[in-house]
Amino acid sequence: MSTAALAPEWLTAREIALCPCGCIGKRRKANFVEKTIIGAANVLKQAMFSADVASQPGLLQRIQPAVKVVTMLALLMATAVVRHLSILVALYAATLAIAVASGLPLWFFVKRVWLFIPIFTGVIVVPATLNLITPGRVVIPLGTWFGHSVGVTAQGLTSAGLIVARVATSISLVVLLTLTTPWNKLLAALRTMRVPKMFVLVLGMAYRYIFYLLETVTDMYTARKSRTANHRNNTSSGRAFVAATAGATFGKAHALSIEVHDAMVARGYTGNARSIDHFQIVKRDVVWVLACSVTIAATLGVNYALGS
Amino acid sequence: MHIPDGYLSPATCGAFGVVMVPIWARAGRGVRKVVTSRYVPLVAIGAAYCFVVMMFNVPIPDGTTAHAVGGVLIAVLLGRWAAVIAVSVALLIQALFFGDGGVLAFGANAFNMAFVMPMVGYGVYQLLTRRVSLTSPRRAAAAGLGGYIGLNVAALVTAVEFGLQPTLFHTADGTPLYAPFHLGQTIPTMALAHLAVAGFVEAILTAGVIAYLQRANLPVLRINHSGVATTDEDLVAAPKLGWRWIAVGMGTMIALTPLGLVAPGSAFGEAAPKALNLRKYHLNAVPDGLRRYAGWWHHTIFNGYDFANDKHPAIGYLISAVFGILAIAIVIAIVLGSLGVYRRHQRPDRIPA
Amino acid sequence: MPSAVDIAAFDASVCAREDQEIFRVEHATFSYLERFPALNDVSLTVRRGEKVALLGANGCGKSTLLKVLDGLLFADRGSFHAFGAEVTEANLEDEQFNEGFRTRVGFVFQNSDAQVFSPTVREEIAFGPLNLGLSIDATQQRVHDVMRMLEISDLAERAPYQLSGGQKKRVAIASVLAMNPEVLLFDEPTAALDPRTQSWLIDLILELNQSGKTIIIATHDLATLDVLADRCVVFSEDHQIVADGPPGTILRDTELLISVNLLHDHAHDHGSTSHTHPHDESHHDSHREH
């Protein structure tokens, strides 16, 4: 299967340490060293993979980045406003069509979007379908609990459907944008959109040095791993090691920031950001904008017609 | 705590986006004033560092691991305004590339993790380290406590944002349009998770890094502690306390919560009272169910809910909405209260430099 | 702020005679954080077209001197003149002065990761010319030319994390050459490079020198000194200049090199006999080449 070749094994076994609920983390029995290294490696692979996809020919790849950013934001807002499941499903189907037209393997795209957040959302909204949380017309009675009847409500089911469909559509739109736009073009698009150049400079530099710092961290962890092959993680020494690694990394990061500043000043930087990019809107961009406008107008129109 | 797109209504996202713009502008000025042209690499690499910190898996006593946000750590290391920008940039990169947190919800996420968290955590840290030397263990402990409190206040604000959604945004038949859980469910759940686990991870990492730097790399700690005495013996004058900014941060939080309440009403013309009458729920069951997992927490909340359910739905609606504001007000009262007490105690024995 | 006279002197210097001095450092003393000395009463004059090697062990102050020469650090005591005008922190705040100085002096840092900070190679190389006021078209032309010259055209849209160490070094050099500076400062240019990139870099430096560029290299690599320099300035470990002369003379002065810790007496056993012979700091490299 061609998609299997395109979607490397890390995508299917994706367990980036950046979990959707951020700080709670995943509570799984695994060595913290291993998890940190895997997380770091995944970020790198994902970035390289995105860069490869973005350079392939396809529908979205041919649209000017700034135009893409604006239309994607408009579509995101339309998605957020919609309150009917049927419209959301139609919008989601549209993102699938665009993905295919942009040369993204369908199955890969679906997996990339649904793992992990929409599925996670689906799981956490299950309790919200009960009348305990979302009152309404009970369609599936489940019995009684402490003298109260418990059941799944029509409102609860609709609500769960709405949120999962909306989350999936929103993520699809963002993934479509970032997978078909090289990072530097995206930054350039932000600049043309009057996002302060200084902010774009910071953003670009931050992204660039994530990889450098990840490498530093991975090296430190690998060194530790080679020394602690036999005994399982000892929690308190593990914590001390994490703190030392994070602390040492900050020391390196700060030294690096001074060096980078020197390198910038040496080449004439005085606090103003300048950039080389210039954009030209061509016919296909106009067509794309029109198509998106029609989609958004239709979405909002149908949404209004169906009422609340 | 990263909110994906689809959980919050566009009005909520818009409101937070609007609130964040002046905060970012202020942060930009705040950082530039301190480090002039050096601020671009400093903040950029600070943001990269923040991103990387979120990948550190910290072992916790039950044998599993979790990771921190690092907002308070960055604030202690680089200053609170640098933290606002650094964490925001890290969040934006996560939102764009790793689908972690939404793009429309970026304003809300930045408000919670890049503004509330560093401001509150750093405020706590500053309160506890007014006359403490740079190498004192109290400093590391204060940073850890700052991390714990900062994260929990941020989680509370997040829970309020979630919890207001079903009350404010639903169809005529009561179908929630966005996140479906009410304040009564979101607050205990988030509080439990963050008070019991995530807060400790945040505290461990924050305190651990500060303690490590105290031992191994003191010059780096000086970036944001230029006037602080190195050892207890050198201690002469206390650093200036930025309490005004804590108050401003808290004030914005109060101002914002009712904003979320007002904005959708005017934007979408939702007739709240009518909608509420339709929601004659089976809510009586909730207290029993929740008592099983939330214990002490829900008493306060569910008194309000029972009240709403049985007699005055409109008032209950308001109470549930205002709950978040009250919770925040309590935190502010505690912080400002202790600040006032602390200042009264400090002023007489303050030694001029 | 620089006076009008300073600026005039500065501009006049550009079309000055061939053998004119371009850098003059007088009695420069510098300490980091006012505590860690790095330069101790250092005086040095560099003339147009020279190839100068600053030699010394780690931490002797040669990198610090390079930063002083590039107007990144400023001596606590003493002075630094470039192209006839004094370079001070205040002078560099003048936009015209800053632009004039930065265009004429390029610095290739030891750590390419710090120097290659832009999202792509193309933007990296464009950074200098754009900051120094070149138009977008002129900048694009320079970026194109320099990438072709250094054979990195195919890397144009790459991100730094996709580059090897050698490629990063090429990009760093390209980003400096794009400004077409008169003076090139290199900090440990051959460190951590594979042999092929090393020899490529040495050829490039020689070529640049032949086309009229002044080259100043900080190094502790004695193996390449013969080719890379026609003048060696030796630093002692107490941050002073202790010798200044052609590489042949300096390399023969074993006693001097041992005293500044660039060579060390190294005793080891060969079976039953043992002997002593001097090793330079880069003995691994020189062994590989033998």
Side-chain angles (χ1 to χ4, degrees):
Chain A
M1 212 168 73
S2 68
T3 52
L6 253 156
E9 85 291 345
W10 53 266
L11 255 177
T12 50
R14 183 167 170 230
E15 54 157 34
I16 284 184
L18 305 160
C19 66
C21 47
C23 39
I24 299 176
K26 286 181 212 152
R27 296 165 59 76
R28 202 186 299 114
K29 296 272 177 197
N31 184 299
F32 70 95
V33 173
E34 215 137 304
K35 284 175 65 180
T36 304
I37 293 177
I38 290 172
N42 281 349
V43 167
L44 182 67
K45 283 178 187 160
Q46 198 172 329
M48 289 170 79
F49 184 72
S50 299
D52 287 348
V53 174
S55 57
Q56 286 168 4
L59 170 68
L60 277 183
Q61 285 90 333
R62 288 152 55 94
I63 308 292
Q64 286 299 340
V67 172
K68 246 189 296 186
V69 171
V70 173
T71 49
M72 284 301 171
L73 280 177
L75 286 167
L76 266 181
M77 278 186 244
T79 308
V81 169
V82 168
R83 31 182 75 192
H84 296 281
L85 189 56
S86 50
I87 307 176
L88 284 174
V89 170
L91 281 174
Y92 179 70
T95 65
L96 292 183
I98 297 170
V100 172
S102 304
L104 303 175
L106 191 60
W107 179 233
F108 154 75
F109 179 69
V110 168
K111 267 198 299 193
R112 168 78 188 255
V113 167
W114 284 83
L115 291 173
F116 166 95
I117 292 159
I119 289 180
F120 173 79
T121 305
V123 171
I124 62 161
V125 295
V126 165
T129 59
L130 300 177
N131 60 348
L132 303 178
I133 286 164
T134 308
R137 188 165 53 86
V138 175
V139 286
I140 310 172
L142 295 174
T144 57
W145 191 33
F146 291 93
H148 301 279
S149 65
V150 175
V152 174
T153 62
Q155 283 88 340
L157 282 178
T158 315
S159 169
L162 272 179
I163 189 166
V164 172
R166 191 181 285 113
V167 166
T169 310
S170 304
I171 294 178
S172 297
L173 289 169
V174 175
V175 168
L176 276 180
L177 171 68
T178 48
L179 269 188
T180 61
T181 318
W183 170 236
N184 60 311
K185 297 273 164 56
L186 198 60
L187 290 176
L190 292 178
R191 276 190 293 259
T192 28
M193 288 167 61
R194 303 294 164 99
V195 174
K197 281 183 179 170
M198 209 50 92
F199 181 79
V200 182
L201 187 62
V202 168
L203 191 62
M205 203 179 278
Y207 187 77
R208 183 253 177 276
Y209 283 109
I210 282 173
F211 299 102
Y212 180 80
L213 293 181
L214 282 179
E215 211 173 290
T216 312
V217 168
T218 311
D219 286 350
M220 284 188 238
Y221 271 100
T222 315
R224 147 107 183 184
K225 197 180 164 193
S226 65
R227 296 197 303 269
T228 55
N230 286 329
H231 42 96
R232 288 284 293 172
N233 53 351
N234 169 330
T235 307
S236 72
S237 79
R239 276 201 300 269
F241 176 70
V242 169
T245 311
T249 307
F250 182 77
K252 288 188 184 185
H254 178 250
L256 181 70
S257 79
I258 292 173
E259 270 190 276
V260 170
H261 182 249
D262 276 350
M264 292 169 79
V265 169
R267 282 190 278 148
Y269 174 76
T270 51
N272 302 314
R274 293 181 170 88
S275 78
I276 192 171
D277 41 69
H278 56 141
F279 281 116
Q280 242 181 341
I281 306 284
V282 296
K283 207 169 92 189
R284 62 169 169 270
D285 297 318
V286 178
V287 173
W288 171 254
V289 169
L290 286 177
C292 288
S293 309
V294 169
T295 310
I296 292 166
T299 303
L300 297 181
V302 175
N303 187 50
Y304 181 76
L306 288 177
S308 58
Chain B
M1 212 195 290
H2 293 56
I3 307 170
D5 280 334
Y7 280 51
L8 299 181
S9 70
T12 317
C13 294
F16 280 102
V18 167
V19 166
M20 279 313 288
V21 168
I23 294 175
W24 283 320
R26 174 67 187 83
R29 279 203 312 280
V31 179
R32 213 183 298 215
K33 207 169 67 193
V34 180
V35 290
T36 59
S37 78
R38 246 188 57 218
Y39 99 101
V40 165
L42 188 72
V43 171
I45 293 170
Y49 180 72
C50 178
F51 184 99
V52 171
V53 159
M54 296 193 207
M55 311 211 55
F56 278 98
N57 280 285
V58 181
I60 47 181
D62 66 346
T64 58
T65 65
H67 67 85
V69 173
V72 180
L73 177 64
I74 309 281
V76 172
L77 292 172
L78 296 179
R80 56 189 185 278
W81 292 120
V84 169
I85 303 186
V87 181
S88 298
V89 169
L91 288 175
L92 186 60
I93 292 175
Q94 288 184 337
L96 287 175
F97 284 90
F98 306 99
D100 210 4
V103 171
L104 285 187
F106 173 58
N109 281 321
F111 183 80
N112 303 338
M113 282 179 280
F115 177 61
V116 172
M117 182 175 176
M119 286 294 161
V120 171
Y122 192 65
V124 170
Y125 169 77
Q126 279 203 310
L127 273 178
L128 297 175
T129 54
R130 282 204 73 189
R131 287 179 48 74
V132 176
S133 68
L134 198 56
T135 51
S136 161
R138 247 185 90 181
R139 217 163 251 284
L145 191 64
Y148 185 85
I149 294 176
L151 183 77
N152 275 287
V153 175
L156 177 66
V157 176
T158 310
V160 171
E161 288 159 14
F162 277 146
L164 285 175
Q165 299 302 316
T167 321
L168 297 175
F169 308 97
H170 49 77
T171 60
D173 69 348
T175 307
L177 285 165
Y178 303 96
F181 294 96
H182 297 264
L183 286 172
Q185 291 117 24
T186 58
I187 292 180
T189 313
M190 289 289 273
L192 208 65
H194 288 82
L195 286 168
V197 183
F200 287 107
V201 173
E202 195 74 42
I204 288 165
L205 186 87
T206 311
V209 169
I210 301 302
Y212 170 84
L213 292 175
Q214 285 178 324
R215 283 199 313 277
N217 200 346
L218 210 53
V220 152
L221 271 186
R222 287 229 168 268
I223 301 167
N224 187 38
H225 296 85
S226 49
V228 181
T230 308
T231 60
D232 286 329
E233 289 79 54
D234 306 338
L235 210 58
V236 185
K240 204 180 91 202
L241 180 75
W243 63 271
R244 265 173 263 106
W245 292 110
I246 308 167
V248 168
M250 295 289 196
T252 318
M253 280 159 62
I254 312 171
L256 193 93
T257 319
L259 196 71
L261 186 69
V262 174
S266 51
F268 296 96
E270 280 181 299
K274 193 179 172 234
L276 268 164
N277 287 336
L278 289 165
R279 302 173 72 230
K280 277 288 173 189
Y281 0 75
H282 310 257
L283 209 68
N284 334 25
V286 176
D288 291 322
L290 270 172
R291 192 163 286 137
R292 297 175 70 84
Y293 73 86
W296 52 273
W297 178 266
H298 59 65
H299 277 289
T300 22
I301 305 153
F302 281 104
N303 290 340
Y305 261 93
D306 285 340
F307 178 58
N309 188 40
D310 297 333
K311 297 180 185 77
H312 307 282
I315 297 174
Y317 177 95
L318 278 172
I319 288 177
S320 65
V322 161
F323 179 89
I325 306 170
L326 278 176
I328 294 164
I330 293 166
V331 176
I332 299 163
I334 293 169
V335 172
L336 290 185
S338 57
L339 189 87
V341 170
Y342 204 78
R343 282 170 62 79
R344 273 196 297 281
H345 278 292
Q346 284 296 313
R347 199 159 285 151
D349 56 20
R350 193 166 181 178
I351 307 157
Chain C
M1 294 301 288
S3 65
V5 182
D6 279 341
I7 305 265
F10 196 101
D11 285 332
S13 71
V14 180
C15 27
R17 291 180 303 124
E18 276 293 293
D19 66 335
Q20 197 207 322
E21 64 177 42
I22 49 170
F23 284 162
R24 183 155 44 85
V25 179
E26 283 173 317
H27 306 291
T29 299
F30 180 84
S31 306
Y32 285 99
L33 302 168
E34 291 155 15
R35 221 182 305 168
F36 309 104
L39 293 179
N40 185 1
D41 194 22
V42 166
S43 296
L44 177 74
T45 302
V46 177
R47 288 173 192 286
R48 190 173 304 277
E50 276 190 308
K51 282 183 294 181
V52 183
L54 308 179
L55 272 183
N58 290 328
C60 68
K62 56 190 193 297
S63 297
T64 308
L65 181 60
L66 278 189
K67 287 188 179 170
V68 169
L69 294 178
D70 199 37
L72 296 172
L73 294 177
F74 304 92
D76 302 328
R77 282 193 303 281
S79 68
F80 167 45
H81 286 78
F83 313 102
E86 184 165 18
V87 178
T88 63
E89 203 161 7
N91 281 357
L92 280 174
E93 269 166 31
D94 180 85
E95 209 169 291
Q96 205 183 347
F97 188 93
N98 187 59
E99 223 174 87
F101 180 78
R102 300 291 174 208
T103 339
R104 286 174 177 83
V105 188
F107 193 154
V108 179
F109 287 72
Q110 179 177 2
N111 182 0
S112 305
D113 269 311
Q115 189 155 20
V116 181
F117 48 75
S118 301
T120 62
V121 169
R122 181 194 299 282
E123 284 170 78
E124 188 62 55
I125 300 172
F127 186 89
L130 283 176
N131 269 305
L132 296 168
L134 253 72
S135 70
I136 288 182
D137 287 341
T139 302
Q140 278 174 333
Q141 188 59 46
R142 280 208 182 175
V143 171
H144 175 260
D145 294 347
V146 133
M147 284 198 298
R148 216 174 48 178
M149 171 180 167
L150 299 191
E151 294 160 7
I152 50 173
S153 300
D154 52 331
L155 305 179
E157 299 303 326
R158 290 270 189 96
Y161 66 85
Q162 297 168 310
L163 303 177
S164 71
Q167 288 171 328
K168 262 184 235 172
K169 191 55 118 189
R170 283 177 194 240
V171 173
I173 293 172
S175 72
V176 172
L177 288 184
M179 304 189 304
N180 193 23
E182 289 171 39
V183 187
L184 282 153
L185 311 172
F186 290 89
D187 195 357
E188 302 288 357
T190 51
L193 289 182
D194 61 82
R196 206 172 119 246
T197 315
Q198 261 189 36
S199 71
W200 167 83
L201 179 58
I202 290 167
D203 290 346
L204 177 73
I205 290 176
L206 294 180
E207 204 181 310
L208 289 169
N209 180 245
Q210 270 151 23
S211 71
K213 311 275 183 207
T214 308
I215 309 283
I216 303 177
I217 300 173
T219 184
H220 53 213
D221 181 3
L222 299 183
T224 54
L225 208 57
D226 271 342
V227 250
L228 274 182
D230 45 32
R231 180 181 163 199
C232 289
V233 175
V234 184
F235 279 77
S236 68
E237 285 189 301
D238 44 7
H239 320 291
Q240 284 178 313
I241 293 179
V242 289
D244 188 343
T249 323
I250 302 283
L251 285 174
R252 274 193 300 275
D253 195 345
T254 317
E255 206 175 308
L256 169 78
L257 294 178
I258 289 173
S259 76
V260 300
N261 224 353
L262 276 169
L263 288 181
H264 58 111
D265 269 328
H266 193 78
H268 47 189
D269 293 320
H270 290 265
S272 56
T273 64
S274 79
H275 68 226
T276 315
H277 64 94
H279 269 236
D280 69 47
E281 285 232 334
S282 56
H283 55 276
H284 297 293
D285 292 332
S286 41
H287 280 187
R288 202 189 305 135
E289 278 167 18
H290 289 160

